């Protein structure tokens, strides 16, 4: 059994040394533990720090492609290197590396395919009260959208089995955290959470520049992945809402017309009919999207099989 610990990096020379010094080289249940650093176009000494600390594998993007792309580069490389389980962690030493055995245990015990490390949000001092509230609300929304029981959706400290990693395909260029959970839930993967500890904050988050921006991007991610995997349900809900509004407007028109036939109130009638017609258009789009999603699922299955075959040959 091989475990690969991957760390996406962007100009992390100031903190990477500390983070690497705490990573284990031996983890119970694994014969081999290797480290992988994904340099996402760093302009500082990130690569040299990684080399000086004995990192087994270093992959460099020629330019900054974003956290999500760096994450997927690491996943693909780890699969190619024969990883049975992949740990993803941060280069800023945010997560306590001593929790790694707890993180991989559900996978080793065949109780999960993806394990998310749940941080003690309520006791993290550098999180503002507003951020703590939005973290909890965001995780609740992701639980609802993914039908999972993840306690800390934005957490990047996670363990992924080989079978799950083969099926993941991140579309977002912003972050992988929310999308992978929703995707896993919709693909019926076993996702669990385990409590983990965090270390002292070394620098501000580079992903969350502001709470409104993060909320906006997160909502777009959730909507996009919902449309991708459940288009019929998404557009049917919109269609039902439009139909309900149109029906109420037309009932109102009928009531007013029969009470006072001298006033036709044509604009009100047209508005109600427009909403009803729009509901049928929305349902039609949902049906077409559902047909396309069947084709997408077939393509994803083919991709997974080909990737599994290709990675198996590379490992051999």
């Amino acid at each position: 059994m091989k475990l690969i610990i991957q760390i996406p990096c962007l100009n992390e020379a100031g903190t990477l040394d500390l983070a690497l010094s705490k990573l284990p080289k031996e983890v119970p249940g694994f014969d081999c533990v290797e480290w992988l650093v994904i340099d996402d176009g760093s302009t500082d000494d990130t690569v040299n720090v990684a080399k000086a600390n004995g990192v087994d594998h270093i992959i460099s993007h020629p330019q900054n492609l974003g956290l999500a792309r760096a994450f997927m580069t690491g996943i693909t490389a780890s699969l190619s290197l024969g990883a049975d389980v992949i740990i993803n962690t941060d280069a800023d030493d945010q997560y306590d590396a001593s929790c790694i055995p707890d993180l991989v245990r559900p996978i080793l015990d065949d109780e999960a395919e993806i394990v998310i490390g749940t941080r003690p949000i309520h006791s993290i001092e550098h999180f503002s009260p507003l951020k703590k509230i939005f973290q909890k609300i965001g995780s609740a929304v992701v639980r609802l959208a993914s039908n999972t029981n993840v306690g800390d959706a934005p957490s990047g400290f996670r363990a992924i089995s080989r079978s799950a990693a083969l099926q993941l395909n991140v579309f977002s260029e912003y972050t992988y955290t929310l999308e992978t959970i929703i995707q896993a839930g919709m693909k019926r993967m076993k996702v669990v959470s385990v409590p983990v500890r965090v270390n002292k904050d070394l620098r501000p988050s580079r992903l969350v520049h502001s709470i409104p921006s993060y909320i906006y991007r997160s909502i777009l991610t959730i909507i996009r992945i919902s449309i991708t995997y459940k288009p019929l349900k998404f557009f049917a809900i919109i269609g039902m809402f439009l139909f309900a509004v149109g029906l109420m407007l037309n009932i109102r028109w009928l009531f007013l017309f029969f009470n006072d036939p001298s006033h036709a109130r044509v604009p009100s009638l047209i508005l109600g009919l427009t909403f009803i017609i729009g509901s049928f258009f929305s349902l039609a789009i949902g049906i077409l999207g559902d047909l396309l999603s069947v084709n997408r699922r077939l393509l994803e299955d083919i991709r997974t099989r080909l990737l599994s075959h290709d990675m198996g040959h590379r490992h051999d």
Side-chain angles (χ1 to χ4, degrees), residues 145-164:
S146 63
N147 196 28
T148 63
N149 193 31
V150 173
D152 184 9
S155 172
F157 195 33
R158 50 187 65 189
I160 305 168
S161 70
R162 183 176 183 85
S163 61

Side-chain angles (χ1 to χ4, degrees), residues 54-225:
V55 171
D56 302 280
H57 312 283
I58 301 173
I59 299 176
S60 294
H61 289 165
Q63 60 185 12
N64 177 236
L65 300 179
L67 179 60
R69 292 283 294 276
F71 171 81
M72 283 307 301
T73 294
I75 292 294
T76 304
S78 296
L79 290 170
S80 181
L81 291 166
D84 296 292
V85 179
I86 304 165
I87 290 280
N88 185 85
T89 188
D90 286 357
D92 61 358
D93 193 43
Q94 176 184 176
Y95 305 105
D96 188 341
S98 67
C99 295
I100 286 177
D102 297 328
L103 205 62
V104 299
R105 188 170 295 116
I107 294 178
L108 293 175
D109 293 341
D110 199 28
E111 296 174 354
E113 295 171 90
I114 297 178
V115 184
I116 311 295
T118 301
R119 296 166 292 180
I121 300 294
H122 63 282
S123 62
I124 299 179
E125 294 180 0
H126 62 273
F127 278 14
S128 67
L130 184 61
K131 185 173 182 179
K132 291 178 181 180
I133 292 171
F134 280 119
Q135 288 273 14
K136 291 184 179 296
I137 293 175
S139 294
V141 172
V142 172
R143 283 196 295 273
L144 183 63
S146 63
N147 196 28
T148 63
N149 193 31
V150 173
D152 184 9
S155 172
F157 195 33
R158 50 187 65 189
I160 305 168
S161 70
R162 183 176 183 85
S163 61
L166 285 166
Q167 299 178 62
L168 292 179
N169 187 26
V170 178
F171 302 106
S172 171
E173 295 183 358
Y174 179 58
T175 180
Y176 60 89
T177 53
L178 307 183
E179 183 172 348
T180 49
I181 294 173
I182 297 173
Q183 194 175 124
M186 292 183 175
K187 291 184 176 182
R188 308 286 183 176
M189 297 183 197
K190 291 186 289 186
V191 183
V192 302
S193 296
V194 298
V196 297
R197 297 177 294 277
V198 295
N199 298 315
K200 184 179 178 181
D201 185 40
L202 298 179
R203 61 163 174 77
S205 172
R206 293 174 180 169
L207 185 65
V208 184
H209 298 295
S210 68
I211 295 295
S213 172
Y214 182 75
I215 293 173
Y216 171 73
R217 288 172 176 258
S218 298
I219 290 173
L220 287 183
T221 298
I222 292 171
I223 291 174
R224 184 180 182 186
I225 200 70

